[in-house]
Amino acid sequence: MIKLKSQREISLMRKAGEITAAARAYAGKLVTAGITTREIDKAVHDFIIAQGATPTFLGYSGYPASVCLSVNDELIHGIPGKRVLRDGDIVSVDVGATWHGYVGDCAATFTVGEVPAETRRLIEVTRQSFFEGIKYAREGYRISDIGHAVQQYVEENGFSVVREYVGHGVGAAMHEDPEVPNYGKPGRGPRLVRGMTLAVEPMVNMGTAAIRVLDDGWTVVTQDGKPACHYENTILITSGDPEILTVCGEE
């Protein structure tokens, strides 16, 4: 069942989104050569706690960290650990924070030093595909209109959209109805109504769309070993343009 949010709930989600976006920005500054992914996770965990919020991901379905940090060919759900970041790496940061029972969820991909031009283009296309998608995140359109726009933009630029993982509703739970795919034909799925809050999150591969899950049961990597990219924001459907809830003063 799709849950429409009251003004009180929207206010709480704005605050949750602000904290989450600030945590994403903070993580992005920490993405530098020589740091371990575990050190980034610890710092972001402490940052979220210092804001009076709770790291949403920690313990979620058994996930062992506060941030998903996915490097290079890792698409999503990379578990922080001893890995040391090096020049030329790209790191997808996916983070959630819960504020007074409501969740913010967002992601972005950051570079370590200089990366190849095509890798930088992958990051830019993935980010822009989110904005292409939310042009249709308005009352009267349908869920699939968002995903169709994402897919069209990504594929026009020569990259691939992952099918196995999708965006989702978000609110008092991190995953609510409806699912928000990044692909598909337009005009399908639930109609968008003001008060809906959605996590729209393109997941894009440089090569083919094929993926696999590593033995840790979490980390998703590209089948061909080529780079992958992730970008996400929590949005609110309004009577006009969608409102991006995961924003902070540093962005």
Side-chain angles (χ1 to χ4, degrees):
M1 181 178 71
I2 297 173
K3 300 175 181 177
L4 303 183
K5 307 306 188 294
S6 67
Q7 287 303 311
R8 172 185 169 276
E9 290 174 309
I10 290 168
S11 178
L12 292 171
M13 289 194 67
R14 284 193 182 107
K15 182 62 177 178
E18 178 185 345
I19 294 169
T20 308
R24 174 178 60 184
Y26 178 50
K29 292 178 179 178
L30 294 172
V31 171
T32 53
I35 197 170
T36 68
T37 53
R38 179 174 292 145
E39 287 170 330
I40 296 173
D41 177 69
K42 175 67 165 58
V44 174
H45 171 277
D46 292 348
F47 175 86
I48 293 171
I49 295 295
Q51 310 310 306
T54 303
T56 310
F57 293 3
L58 184 59
Y60 186 85
S61 297
Y63 187 73
S66 297
V67 188
C68 295
L69 294 167
S70 306
V71 183
N72 296 335
D73 63 332
E74 296 172 354
L75 174 70
I76 52 172
H77 302 163
I79 299 174
K82 297 178 181 179
R83 183 171 189 162
V84 177
L85 298 183
R86 305 185 184 284
D87 282 338
D89 286 341
I90 62 172
V91 184
S92 292
V93 174
D94 189 2
V95 62
T98 302
W99 171 263
H100 289 238
Y102 286 83
V103 175
D105 187 9
C106 65
T109 303
F110 299 92
T111 61
V112 183
E114 291 299 314
V115 301
E118 187 69 353
T119 302
R120 189 169 294 280
R121 194 170 76 86
L122 172 69
I123 294 171
E124 292 169 353
V125 167
T126 303
R127 184 180 187 278
Q128 184 58 34
S129 72
F130 164 85
F131 290 99
E132 296 298 319
I134 68 166
K135 290 177 181 177
Y136 299 89
R138 301 172 64 96
E139 279 197 305
Y141 286 101
R142 293 187 180 274
I143 284 289
S144 71
D145 295 328
I146 298 173
H148 176 74
V150 170
Q151 179 185 7
Q152 187 173 44
Y153 183 79
V154 168
E155 293 180 352
E156 283 176 352
N157 279 278
F159 300 127
S160 302
V161 172
V162 169
R163 303 304 203 268
E164 291 87 345
Y165 296 89
V166 298
H168 49 89
V170 60
M174 186 162 69
H175 291 100
E176 297 182 350
D177 290 333
E179 290 191 341
V180 187
N182 298 303
Y183 61 91
K185 295 181 178 180
R188 299 185 177 184
R191 197 172 293 280
L192 299 173
V193 178
R194 74 185 74 177
M196 292 173 67
T197 46
L198 308 171
V200 178
E201 51 178 321
M203 289 163 272
V204 180
N205 292 349
M206 181 179 285
T208 72
I211 56 171
R212 62 188 177 90
V213 181
L214 298 185
D215 291 342
D216 62 21
W218 283 102
T219 309
V220 178
V221 301
T222 59
Q223 193 77 261
D224 58 14
K226 293 183 178 180
C229 195
H230 187 196
Y231 188 80
E232 174 186 22
N233 281 304
T234 301
I235 67 167
L236 167 69
I237 305 300
T238 73
S239 58
D241 292 336
E243 178 183 346
I244 298 176
L245 299 178
T246 41
V247 294
C248 68
E250 299 185 36
E251 296 185 316

